[in-house]
Every structure is written in C-alpha cells, then in structure tokens.
Amino acid sequence: VVSFLFSFLVLKTLLIIQISATLALASGVYLVLRRKNKANLPGRNIELSDEKAVSSSPQIIKFLDVVFWILLSVNLLLLTRGDYSRPLSFLLLVSLMAAILAVQIFSGEKMGYSLIKVLIIGILLRGSAWFQFPSATGTDPINEIGLLQRFLIQGHAGPFMEGYYYYPIAYIVSGFFYLIADVGAKEAFFVISLIEVISLIFIFLMGKELFNRKVGLLACLVIAVFDWHIYFGFWLKAMTLGVALVPMV
C-alpha cells in the first residue's frame, strides 16, 4: 500500500503504479485467504504444494483440455478474417484460455504439456499483433526493420546502426533466419519475439528451483500474459532480445 501511494503521488509513472497496485492487491488477497484458511483449518500450513494437486475430476480436466484447443482454433479463425483487426472476442477467448490453463496447473497437469500451452499463448498474443498488418507499424519497428535490411545489404555492422553497432546480436540472429528461411525482413525480425517467448522456459526453471514446478508454471503463465512483456514482443526492437536474455543469464 505504501509503495502504491508513493508511486501514485510522487513517481506518477504508469508502469510503477501498475506493479505497485498489483502487489498491494495480491498481498491483500493473500492475507485474507491466509486468515480464512487458518480459521477453517487450525494448525495446518496451507501452501501451493507440488506433490498434492487440487482435487478435480479427470473428466473435468479432459473437458477443459478440449475446450482449450477449441478456443485456440476459434482464435486462429478470427485472425484469418483479414480485416486488420483483433476483435474483443479474441482477447476474451485468450484470457479464458489462460484461466483454463491456470486451473489445469493447479490440478497437476503434466509439466511439459502445460509449458507448451504457455508458449502457445505467448506466441499467439505477440504474433497476432505483429502480423496484424502487412507491413510493420510504429516508429521503432519500422526503423529496426530498416536497419536489418541495411545490415543485410552491407553484410556487416557499421556506424549506420548507431548504438547497436557495438551489440548487433539481434540483427545477426534475425539476418541468419532471413537467409536460412528465405522470408521477408518483417518475418525474420519476428524471431526475436520467438526468443522472448522461449525465454519463459527459464522463468519456469527459476520458479521450479526456488519453489516447485507449480509456482514455476504459474510464474511463466503470468509473464506470458503480462502487458509490458507482450509490448516488447510485438513492438519489436533490438532491446527485446535483451529482455529475453535476462532470465536466460
């Protein structure tokens, strides 16, 4: 609460306010549930155990799994309409997919299977925005693709890349994909977003190492749908690769 008030009244930065409000809300919910659990089950320590899954019917879990893939199919159909838009129904269905996956994680679904679903949601959210229009949109993505094209023509990094001249890894990676996959510059640069999504695996590994696999999967899912992480995944620039490398390191 103190952090939220300080960020709202003093810092007045939207990102800091969002993070502080989320932390304050999560802490409040935790305290309420902790008090309720202690009242209902005195002497027992309630935690997100990795060994014991939430009691759920196998039929319900299978039903939710089928619904997840149906929602994914519907979303892909919505994206093929070709009207350069992502309808509100698309975002609502993706949110429902994330909620279903969270329930399945709590229910003890197989670790690898859940992780694949997290990566699918991550790619869906970023790819649907990046490929929403035939060409790149936004000043930064347009400039980045222009630098990539010039880098491919020159065949090496140069002063024209300004600050990226000393750290051209994003252009080397996307340029390699451009040459190997024989795709356009826009499609090649999207490989940076794919690396960002793949880096979620390292978030899972950290959560698993520090706590347990459920905490790791939930942390991975939360970051996959976190607005600023999505932003770096479709408002692509070389800096996005830096965001992806942080959890890897």
PDB file of all heavy atoms in Angstrom, residues 19-32:
ATOM      1  N   ILE A  19       2.482  -1.979 -11.249  1.00  0.00           N
ATOM      2  CA  ILE A  19       3.170  -3.002 -10.468  1.00  0.00           C
ATOM      3  C   ILE A  19       2.839  -2.863  -8.989  1.00  0.00           C
ATOM      4  O   ILE A  19       2.545  -3.850  -8.300  1.00  0.00           O
ATOM      5  CB  ILE A  19       4.690  -2.908 -10.691  1.00  0.00           C
ATOM      6  CG1 ILE A  19       5.030  -3.242 -12.153  1.00  0.00           C
ATOM      7  CG2 ILE A  19       5.439  -3.849  -9.748  1.00  0.00           C
ATOM      8  CD1 ILE A  19       6.481  -3.048 -12.499  1.00  0.00           C
ATOM      9  N   SER A  20       2.841  -1.630  -8.477  1.00  0.00           N
ATOM     10  CA  SER A  20       2.566  -1.400  -7.060  1.00  0.00           C
ATOM     11  C   SER A  20       1.134  -1.785  -6.713  1.00  0.00           C
ATOM     12  O   SER A  20       0.876  -2.397  -5.672  1.00  0.00           O
ATOM     13  CB  SER A  20       2.815   0.072  -6.714  1.00  0.00           C
ATOM     14  OG  SER A  20       4.141   0.441  -6.988  1.00  0.00           O
ATOM     15  N   ALA A  21       0.185  -1.430  -7.591  1.00  0.00           N
ATOM     16  CA  ALA A  21      -1.211  -1.781  -7.344  1.00  0.00           C
ATOM     17  C   ALA A  21      -1.406  -3.293  -7.358  1.00  0.00           C
ATOM     18  O   ALA A  21      -2.138  -3.847  -6.530  1.00  0.00           O
ATOM     19  CB  ALA A  21      -2.105  -1.116  -8.391  1.00  0.00           C
ATOM     20  N   THR A  22      -0.721  -3.979  -8.287  1.00  0.00           N
ATOM     21  CA  THR A  22      -0.814  -5.442  -8.356  1.00  0.00           C
ATOM     22  C   THR A  22      -0.260  -6.090  -7.096  1.00  0.00           C
ATOM     23  O   THR A  22      -0.858  -7.022  -6.538  1.00  0.00           O
ATOM     24  CB  THR A  22      -0.064  -5.960  -9.595  1.00  0.00           C
ATOM     25  OG1 THR A  22      -0.610  -5.360 -10.773  1.00  0.00           O
ATOM     26  CG2 THR A  22      -0.175  -7.471  -9.698  1.00  0.00           C
ATOM     27  N   LEU A  23       0.894  -5.601  -6.641  1.00  0.00           N
ATOM     28  CA  LEU A  23       1.497  -6.144  -5.430  1.00  0.00           C
ATOM     29  C   LEU A  23       0.610  -5.902  -4.215  1.00  0.00           C
ATOM     30  O   LEU A  23       0.437  -6.787  -3.364  1.00  0.00           O
ATOM     31  CB  LEU A  23       2.877  -5.520  -5.211  1.00  0.00           C
ATOM     32  CG  LEU A  23       3.983  -5.954  -6.186  1.00  0.00           C
ATOM     33  CD1 LEU A  23       5.256  -5.163  -5.932  1.00  0.00           C
ATOM     34  CD2 LEU A  23       4.252  -7.439  -6.064  1.00  0.00           C
ATOM     35  N   ALA A  24       0.033  -4.692  -4.125  1.00  0.00           N
ATOM     36  CA  ALA A  24      -0.835  -4.373  -2.989  1.00  0.00           C
ATOM     37  C   ALA A  24      -2.080  -5.260  -2.993  1.00  0.00           C
ATOM     38  O   ALA A  24      -2.487  -5.795  -1.956  1.00  0.00           O
ATOM     39  CB  ALA A  24      -1.228  -2.901  -3.032  1.00  0.00           C
ATOM     40  N   LEU A  25      -2.683  -5.440  -4.182  1.00  0.00           N
ATOM     41  CA  LEU A  25      -3.881  -6.271  -4.292  1.00  0.00           C
ATOM     42  C   LEU A  25      -3.564  -7.727  -3.983  1.00  0.00           C
ATOM     43  O   LEU A  25      -4.303  -8.392  -3.238  1.00  0.00           O
ATOM     44  CB  LEU A  25      -4.471  -6.143  -5.693  1.00  0.00           C
ATOM     45  CG  LEU A  25      -5.743  -6.964  -5.980  1.00  0.00           C
ATOM     46  CD1 LEU A  25      -6.871  -6.542  -5.050  1.00  0.00           C
ATOM     47  CD2 LEU A  25      -6.173  -6.797  -7.434  1.00  0.00           C
ATOM     48  N   ALA A  26      -2.452  -8.236  -4.548  1.00  0.00           N
ATOM     49  CA  ALA A  26      -2.074  -9.628  -4.308  1.00  0.00           C
ATOM     50  C   ALA A  26      -1.778  -9.871  -2.831  1.00  0.00           C
ATOM     51  O   ALA A  26      -2.177 -10.897  -2.265  1.00  0.00           O
ATOM     52  CB  ALA A  26      -0.856  -9.989  -5.159  1.00  0.00           C
ATOM     53  N   SER A  27      -1.115  -8.929  -2.187  1.00  0.00           N
ATOM     54  CA  SER A  27      -0.804  -9.074  -0.759  1.00  0.00           C
ATOM     55  C   SER A  27      -2.079  -9.079   0.072  1.00  0.00           C
ATOM     56  O   SER A  27      -2.228  -9.861   1.015  1.00  0.00           O
ATOM     57  CB  SER A  27       0.112  -7.936  -0.304  1.00  0.00           C
ATOM     58  OG  SER A  27       1.334  -7.953  -1.021  1.00  0.00           O
ATOM     59  N   GLY A  28      -3.030  -8.206  -0.307  1.00  0.00           N
ATOM     60  CA  GLY A  28      -4.299  -8.163   0.426  1.00  0.00           C
ATOM     61  C   GLY A  28      -5.086  -9.452   0.284  1.00  0.00           C
ATOM     62  O   GLY A  28      -5.622  -9.981   1.270  1.00  0.00           O
ATOM     63  N   VAL A  29      -5.140  -9.983  -0.953  1.00  0.00           N
ATOM     64  CA  VAL A  29      -5.849 -11.245  -1.183  1.00  0.00           C
ATOM     65  C   VAL A  29      -5.186 -12.375  -0.406  1.00  0.00           C
ATOM     66  O   VAL A  29      -5.858 -13.222   0.199  1.00  0.00           O
ATOM     67  CB  VAL A  29      -5.886 -11.572  -2.693  1.00  0.00           C
ATOM     68  CG1 VAL A  29      -6.430 -12.972  -2.924  1.00  0.00           C
ATOM     69  CG2 VAL A  29      -6.729 -10.543  -3.426  1.00  0.00           C
ATOM     70  N   TYR A  30      -3.844 -12.394  -0.400  1.00  0.00           N
ATOM     71  CA  TYR A  30      -3.119 -13.429   0.328  1.00  0.00           C
ATOM     72  C   TYR A  30      -3.429 -13.381   1.819  1.00  0.00           C
ATOM     73  O   TYR A  30      -3.679 -14.415   2.452  1.00  0.00           O
ATOM     74  CB  TYR A  30      -1.620 -13.259   0.109  1.00  0.00           C
ATOM     75  CG  TYR A  30      -0.776 -14.120   1.034  1.00  0.00           C
ATOM     76  CD1 TYR A  30      -0.629 -15.483   0.800  1.00  0.00           C
ATOM     77  CD2 TYR A  30      -0.153 -13.554   2.142  1.00  0.00           C
ATOM     78  CE1 TYR A  30       0.128 -16.266   1.651  1.00  0.00           C
ATOM     79  CE2 TYR A  30       0.606 -14.335   3.003  1.00  0.00           C
ATOM     80  CZ  TYR A  30       0.745 -15.689   2.749  1.00  0.00           C
ATOM     81  OH  TYR A  30       1.486 -16.460   3.601  1.00  0.00           O
ATOM     82  N   LEU A  31      -3.434 -12.182   2.402  1.00  0.00           N
ATOM     83  CA  LEU A  31      -3.695 -12.058   3.834  1.00  0.00           C
ATOM     84  C   LEU A  31      -5.112 -12.509   4.186  1.00  0.00           C
ATOM     85  O   LEU A  31      -5.332 -13.178   5.203  1.00  0.00           O
ATOM     86  CB  LEU A  31      -3.476 -10.610   4.275  1.00  0.00           C
ATOM     87  CG  LEU A  31      -2.014 -10.124   4.254  1.00  0.00           C
ATOM     88  CD1 LEU A  31      -1.949  -8.640   4.570  1.00  0.00           C
ATOM     89  CD2 LEU A  31      -1.165 -10.920   5.223  1.00  0.00           C
ATOM     90  N   VAL A  32      -6.070 -12.152   3.318  1.00  0.00           N
ATOM     91  CA  VAL A  32      -7.457 -12.552   3.573  1.00  0.00           C
ATOM     92  C   VAL A  32      -7.594 -14.066   3.505  1.00  0.00           C
ATOM     93  O   VAL A  32      -8.195 -14.702   4.384  1.00  0.00           O
ATOM     94  CB  VAL A  32      -8.409 -11.868   2.565  1.00  0.00           C
ATOM     95  CG1 VAL A  32      -9.815 -12.451   2.686  1.00  0.00           C
ATOM     96  CG2 VAL A  32      -8.448 -10.370   2.816  1.00  0.00           C
TER      97      VAL A  32
END
